[in-house]
Structure formats: C-alpha cells, structure tokens
Amino acid sequence: MRITVFGVGYVGLVQAACLSEVGHNVVCVDVDEEKINRLKDGDIPIYEPGLESIVKENIGAGRLTFTTEAEVGVNHGKVHFIAVGTPSQEDGSADLKFVLSVAETIGRHMQDHKFVATKSTVPVGTADKVKAAIGEALAGRGDKSQLTFDVISNPEFLKEGAAIADCMKPDRIVIGTDSEEAEEVMRELYAPFSRNHEKIIMMDVRSAELTKYAANCMLATKISFMNEMANLAEIFDADIEMVRKGIGSDPRIGYHFIYPGLGYGGSCFPKDVRALIHAAKANEFQPTILDAVEQRNNSQKKVLFDKIQKHFGGDLAGKTFAFWGLSFKPNTDDMREAPSRVLMEALWDAGAKVNAYDPEAMRECQKIYGNRDDLNLVGTKEAALKNADGLVVVTEWKEFRAPDYELIKECLNVPVVFDGRNLYAPGLMKKRGITYYSVGR
C-alpha cells in the first residue's frame, strides 16, 4: 500500500519505518529540510533502539523515502498519517496548528479519494476540525471541490525505548471511523501486524481520540499514586519497595507502572494530562483526579533536592554533584520535562555545580543548556564522580545497577548517594559505608 506520513518526529519516523519494514511503500514529508537531508543520508536525529537499522534497510530497499515537497507526498499516498507535534500551549491545551496545516495541505493538493488518519495525540473532536480544514481547502479548488475523503483516528501507543517492538508487535490497534471503506483499508494496512491474533479494535472516532488520552492519564495516575504512597511510607517508617511487591502481586493491580521515583516526564504524559485537564474544564467539568495527578508529579520532581538540601544543612553553594542519568527514562535521549532538569536547575539556583553523564542524552543536554560553568558533561559514569560532593542517580539505565561501590567512596569527597530510582539496597549501602537516601524507604 502507498502510504504518506506527515511529520518525521518520534511517532512519525517510527511508524513510517515499521510500515515500510512489512512491505508498504512509504513517503515521509516534513518542513524541516535539515532533518530530511539527514534522514536521506541514514542519519537518525533521535535515539531509539533498533530504529536506525530499520530506516537504513528500507531506504536501501526503496520502500522508505523522505521529502520536503508536500505535493509529492499527497500525490503518493492512498493513506495519509498526520504525525506532527501537538505541543502544550500556556493554558495546557494542545496546539493543533500543525495538524490543521497538514489537513489544509492535503485538501489543497489531493487529486483522488484519500484516507486521512490522525496519528498525533489530539483532543476529542479534532477529527471534525481536520475534516473541516480539508473541506475548506477543497472548496476553493473549483472542479476538484467534489473530491471525497475519510478522516480516521488511529492513535499511537508507543513507549520510548521500546517503540519498534510496540509498533511491530502491538498490544492493540485502535481505529476510529464510521466508514466501512475506511475500516477495510485500515484492516488491510495493519494486517501484517495482526497475524498472531486479532489486534484491531474498531470504534467511533471520538472514542478513539479519548482512548489515547485515557490510556496515558491512567498510567500517569499509577505513577503519581505510587509516589504519594512513597511519601507516606517515609512518614510511617515503612519501605515502599516492600509495599510495591505486596500490592503488585494482586493481579487486579499488577507490577507495571508502580515504581516510585522522581515523577513522570517526556513528551507524552505531562502534555496529555494537561490537555485533558484543559478540555475537561473547557466543558465545565472539574477533573479532580487529573489535577491531583499533575500536582503530585510536580511536587515529586523536587523531593530529591529537598533531601540533598537537608543533608548539607541548606548550604549547597560551591558543592558539586555527580549526576547519573539525564533522560526522562532509560533507552532514550529525550529530556523533555525530565526530572533531571528540575533537579539540576534547583541545584544551580542554590549555587551548586553538576558533573553529568548519560549514555544517550549528553548531546540533548548540551543543546538545551549550552555551555555553562556550572555544568560539566563527562564521558563516563566514573568520570562524573571525581571530586563530587555526592552522587545523584536520576535515570535507571542498566549500567547504573551494579556500580563499583569502593570506587564511589574513593572518588566522592563525601560518600553520599541520593538515589531517585531505588536501585540499591539500603542495608548494603550502609554496610559499604555509604550514606544513602532513596525514595519511600
């Protein structure tokens, strides 16, 4: 099938690569000429395990191409995926200007019937706006004004760090449409991903749009709930890790997304929680639970700073801290709304410096903060320790799980570890002679 994907950000690029991997002919369109030229050369602008090899292989096979020419993309595809960004506006709402711009572009250039699927995370009712934007563009084209199209909601459910597996072997494929023809086309498109058992869940467009928000907000709620329990565990002198195992063994709860830590970050959960809160209030409904989820998350990103400040008696000026991890979670270089940023900026405001190491996010950190006297990006986790006054574990990368404890003691000016991911056993740290702070223990 001939597919066009508008937007080669995280979602668009992964979706395009996986569609081409199963044999579809995919053209990717983006307005960022530099990014398109890099992709044509096989240079992947984001880090995602397994993505680079799939992109290069399918470029070589001629199934995956990139262009800045929208008309080429519109003329190519039978199915068009809109996968552009929907950033948060100041009031928390999702900004749809890029989505609607793509819709207008499709309407301006289409020559035959098109199936337009929104892959971007968009508020309920966006499909109606996409339909209107395409219709308005067609209306001004004289003899082409009678061209027909279908608008479909097809939200993504990708986890950063495991997106290829999620795309190639999805848990579910949600398709929202009221058109039998559109359903038939989308079933054909996704047939290669649904061979083992039926993955496709058909529903109306608005339900599909809400399903994406509901899924992310449920996961964010689990994280904030567990972080609230972690704070209570500290008050009650309990161990949240024991509590986690106790409740996770209940199949109604399960072990997923109940790890305490420094709060959620990234490009999805914070933005989507805010957007649903805004949409609810715009419809005169008070989203009590979602408000609490966001408030707890914002507070949780500050808990490690409070522990650091208390340990040093409130005087952090001139202190240096080793950071292990910068990305909001492992297996990605994404630092959007990462807890590391809140913590670093609080330390800088208090007069401290940071020696930071992350396996993948160093370039992203440099891009965000530039050159600063109080930020030293180093090449190894060991180098970050040298002459630091404490170690701060921010991201749970695998290489941090079994450290050289003696080296930590040897390199740090003060043998103290602030662990925001509960990677280490308190008893072992005490035995090793290391002062240890974690979350909820």
Side-chain angles (χ1 to χ4, degrees):
M1 192 176 290
R2 297 171 72 85
I3 311 295
T4 298
V5 177
F6 286 90
V8 289
Y10 187 86
V11 172
L13 185 57
V14 170
Q15 186 70 39
C18 291
L19 287 169
S20 64
E21 178 73 359
V22 299
H24 294 307
N25 191 317
V26 183
V27 169
C28 295
V29 181
D30 201 285
V31 297
D32 188 332
E33 187 172 357
E34 180 185 356
K35 185 185 291 186
I36 289 294
N37 289 335
R38 287 178 62 184
L39 286 164
K40 286 179 178 178
D41 294 335
D43 181 10
I44 310 303
I46 59 173
Y47 174 74
E48 177 63 36
L51 179 60
E52 183 175 0
S53 60
I54 292 180
V55 170
K56 288 182 176 179
E57 178 183 334
N58 286 285
I59 289 175
R63 291 189 296 268
L64 181 61
T65 57
F66 300 91
T67 183
T68 57
E69 297 181 35
E71 187 172 359
V72 171
V74 174
N75 289 333
H76 170 83
K78 177 179 182 179
V79 177
H80 294 262
F81 284 103
I82 301 178
V84 294
T86 54
S88 285
Q89 302 192 89
E90 286 187 14
D91 61 1
S93 63
D95 188 345
L96 296 178
K97 66 183 178 185
F98 302 120
V99 170
L100 298 180
S101 175
V102 171
E104 190 274 334
T105 298
I106 293 170
R108 185 158 23 100
H109 295 297
M110 60 187 282
Q111 301 295 328
D112 53 13
H113 187 92
K114 300 296 183 184
F115 299 91
V116 181
T118 52
K119 182 63 72 173
S120 305
T121 301
V122 294
V124 176
T126 297
D128 295 335
K129 295 179 180 180
V130 169
K131 186 175 182 179
I134 296 173
E136 287 175 14
L138 283 172
R141 293 183 59 197
D143 61 334
K144 300 294 184 182
S145 62
Q146 301 304 310
L147 288 174
T148 57
F149 60 93
D150 285 295
V151 176
I152 303 152
S153 176
N154 179 216
E156 54 85 15
F157 298 97
L158 306 178
K159 299 187 296 290
E160 289 195 43
I164 298 299
D166 288 342
C167 199
M168 297 301 294
K169 297 180 180 180
D171 298 319
R172 75 285 205 198
I173 301 166
V174 172
I175 298 172
T177 181
D178 56 5
S179 162
E180 291 184 5
E181 185 181 6
E183 177 179 345
E184 183 179 330
V185 167
M186 295 302 282
R187 285 188 180 277
E188 179 187 347
L189 183 146
Y190 280 117
F193 303 93
S194 195
R195 286 174 57 86
N196 181 265
H197 64 274
E198 183 58 75
K199 308 285 184 67
I200 294 174
I201 303 173
M202 299 299 307
M203 59 183 71
D204 64 274
V205 172
R206 284 178 170 250
S207 294
E209 290 173 332
L210 183 56
T211 295
K212 170 61 178 180
Y213 276 109
N216 278 357
C217 289
M218 171 60 82
L219 296 174
T221 298
K222 291 184 74 173
I223 293 170
S224 281
F225 174 83
M226 206 59 189
N227 283 330
E228 186 136 305
M229 291 302 104
N231 287 312
L232 286 173
E234 291 191 8
I235 292 170
F236 297 148
D237 197 22
D239 186 338
I240 194 62
E241 293 298 325
M242 297 295 102
V243 175
R244 178 181 63 81
K245 294 173 184 177
I247 66 173
S249 60
D250 185 332
R252 297 171 300 175
I253 298 173
Y255 291 103
H256 295 297
F257 280 82
I258 59 169
Y259 287 86
L262 301 178
Y264 56 77
S267 63
C268 295
F269 289 5
K271 174 174 69 73
D272 294 350
V273 170
R274 286 195 295 266
L276 194 53
I277 288 172
H278 178 273
K281 292 180 179 178
N283 284 274
E284 299 183 351
F285 177 81
Q286 186 61 39
T288 307
I289 292 175
L290 295 179
D291 276 336
V293 167
E294 184 179 38
Q295 289 168 18
R296 169 49 54 207
N297 193 63
N298 291 338
S299 297
Q300 198 67 19
K301 291 182 179 181
K302 302 171 185 175
V303 297
L304 217 54
F305 175 76
D306 292 340
K307 292 175 187 287
I308 294 169
Q309 194 173 46
K310 185 177 180 180
H311 175 82
F312 288 97
D315 183 11
L316 300 179
K319 297 284 192 297
T320 299
F321 294 94
F323 264 49
W324 282 4
L326 294 166
S327 58
F328 84 95
K329 72 175 195 175
N331 297 321
T332 180
D333 60 355
D334 194 343
M335 287 183 64
R336 284 174 287 186
E337 305 212 31
S340 63
R341 297 177 64 172
V342 175
L343 183 51
M344 279 196 298
E345 289 166 16
L347 289 170
W348 291 335
D349 287 343
K353 298 181 179 180
V354 172
N355 293 339
Y357 167 74
D358 186 285
E360 294 296 337
M362 305 288 274
R363 183 164 57 180
E364 183 65 17
C365 188
Q366 178 74 45
K367 178 181 174 183
I368 293 168
Y369 292 112
N371 296 318
R372 301 177 55 114
D373 293 337
D374 49 12
L375 174 61
N376 182 29
L377 299 174
V378 298
T380 66
K381 64 181 187 290
E382 292 82 10
L385 297 171
K386 292 181 179 178
N387 297 317
D389 295 293
L391 167 61
V392 184
V393 181
V394 187
T395 313
E396 64 274 31
W397 287 92
K398 287 182 179 179
E399 68 176 89
F400 302 154
R401 292 182 183 178
D404 185 335
Y405 297 105
E406 291 305 313
L407 184 64
I408 290 174
K409 288 176 63 178
E410 180 183 325
C411 291
L412 293 177
N413 294 332
V414 182
V416 57
V417 173
F418 302 91
D419 180 4
R421 299 299 175 180
N422 289 0
L423 294 187
Y424 314 125
L428 176 61
M429 298 297 276
K430 185 176 181 180
K431 186 177 179 180
R432 296 278 188 175
I434 298 173
T435 302
Y436 182 62
Y437 298 88
S438 53
V439 178
R441 297 190 291 178

